[in-house]
Amino acid sequence: MELRDIEIFLTLAEELHFGRTAQRLHVSPARVSQAIALQERRIGAALFDRSSRRVTLTPIGIQLRDSLAHGYHSIQHGLETARTAARGVAGTITVGTMGALAHEIADVTTRFRALNPQCEVQFREVRVSDPFGPLRSGEVDVAVLWLPVREPDLTVGPVVRTSPVYLMMSTDHPLARRDEVCLEDLAECVVPQSARPVPAYWEAALSPFHTPSGRPIPRGPEVATWQEVLAAVAAGSTVVPIQAEASRYYAWPGITYVPIRDAEPSQWTLIWRTAGETALIRALAEVVATC
């Protein structure tokens, strides 16, 4: 059985629809039908039951699917590994992340290591008060930052993950008793400000300066690190719009997280210095785009 015929069979076994299978594999429905008919003739039994309404696997089709799937995926992995080695991708890539995000993108880095066995991934913390500095200094090769990023010297790569936005606050705060809040509520709160200048457009994407109706959102204490953010919130002096990951990794006593129902989800994205793009960076971006 040809590798392409195996791919057609396994895809149809997953989709259970000839049209969707053809579209996914960029072939004609007739090509799918021919490949399945050929396999059924060779095996001597039907692999699919077809009706005008549905397509289902026969018992022999289920057995064949289970027998072929592992081997096919092993072959694909081996081919991809060989292609990567042929491109000469090797070395160490340093990824800048905030908070616990390195744990949240473990699926990406695990797959990257598997496809690029000659590569290593190491992490460096990027501070919210200096999101682009480590990229420009060369301390990190790529950073995972929230969008938008509109810096002329930086390239915006594929989105790594999308996160809902919560409001982090003291458990004594009046809003802490609610099941959810809205951006308009922030006019009655105080949010921290960066200890160092950051682009206003980037800060506002997560922590806006005005509510949807135009009311100003007061700025309060200056913070430079994530630990300073947590301390300010626990003290009750500020509230912080933050990505949902924080609620899972930073369940501090005295701090609670409430969803902001009308906040746009935050998109974490690979960012790198355009002039510093390397084969390693392109390989990581490729993995992110296909995960």
Side-chain angles (χ1 to χ4, degrees):
M1 188 182 292
E2 299 291 336
L3 189 61
R4 184 58 163 171
D5 290 337
I6 295 174
E7 182 180 33
I8 290 173
F9 167 75
L10 290 175
T11 305
L12 182 58
E14 181 181 336
E15 294 287 351
L16 295 176
H17 190 282
F18 280 79
R20 287 198 298 269
T21 298
Q23 184 176 27
R24 181 168 153 186
L25 297 178
H26 306 290
V27 299
S28 68
R31 173 70 176 91
V32 176
S33 297
Q34 291 164 4
I36 299 302
L38 177 61
Q39 292 169 37
E40 289 177 330
R41 285 197 300 273
R42 287 174 173 171
I43 291 168
L47 301 175
F48 296 90
D49 285 326
R50 308 155 174 87
S51 71
S52 59
R53 293 189 175 182
R54 58 186 304 199
V55 176
T56 58
L57 280 161
T58 65
I60 292 177
I62 292 172
Q63 182 182 17
L64 183 62
R65 177 199 64 191
D66 295 343
S67 299
L68 290 178
H70 178 73
Y72 173 76
H73 292 307
S74 294
I75 291 170
Q76 290 296 97
H77 175 73
L79 291 171
E80 182 59 35
T81 300
R83 282 193 290 266
T84 299
R87 291 197 299 265
V89 179
T92 299
I93 186 167
T94 304
V95 181
T97 59
M98 295 182 181
L101 202 62
H103 298 279
E104 290 292 296
I105 64 170
D107 58 333
V108 170
T109 52
T110 298
R111 178 166 171 74
F112 175 78
R113 289 186 178 104
L115 292 174
N116 301 275
Q118 301 179 71
C119 299
E120 291 293 331
V121 180
Q122 64 182 14
F123 292 95
R124 292 283 184 272
E125 182 180 6
V126 172
R127 294 184 175 184
V128 70
S129 59
D130 187 24
F132 308 130
L135 283 170
R136 288 169 172 152
S137 68
E139 183 182 347
V140 302
D141 299 304
V142 297
V144 183
L145 304 173
W146 68 74
L147 291 180
V149 171
R150 304 176 188 139
E151 305 298 301
D153 59 327
L154 302 181
T155 293
V156 177
V159 173
V160 180
R161 62 183 288 111
T162 300
S163 307
V165 176
Y166 285 24
L167 189 63
M168 180 171 67
M169 69 194 94
S170 164
T171 52
D172 296 328
H173 195 280
L175 295 178
R177 294 186 291 274
R178 296 191 189 177
D179 293 330
E180 61 180 16
V181 297
C182 64
L183 291 172
E184 206 62 40
D185 293 320
L186 295 181
E188 308 300 328
C189 303
V190 175
V191 301
Q193 55 187 322
S194 174
R196 297 179 59 180
V198 298
Y201 75 84
W202 187 77
E203 180 181 352
L206 184 62
S207 186
F209 293 94
H210 295 87
T211 69
S213 71
R215 300 162 68 198
I217 298 173
R219 255 45 185 180
E222 291 187 350
V223 292
T225 68
W226 176 240
Q227 294 301 318
E228 290 177 11
V229 171
L230 289 168
V233 171
S237 60
T238 187
V239 303
V240 177
I242 196 71
Q243 291 88 355
E245 290 87 358
S247 66
R248 296 193 291 276
Y249 290 94
Y250 301 99
W252 275 29
I255 289 180
T256 191
Y257 299 83
V258 177
I260 305 177
R261 67 170 180 265
D262 55 345
E264 289 292 325
S266 196
Q267 290 187 306
W268 292 103
T269 303
L270 277 190
I271 308 294
W272 61 87
R273 191 168 56 89
T274 303
E277 183 175 307
T278 64
L280 272 171
I281 293 173
R282 289 191 293 272
L284 180 60
E286 237 178 74
V287 170
V288 171
T290 56
C291 272

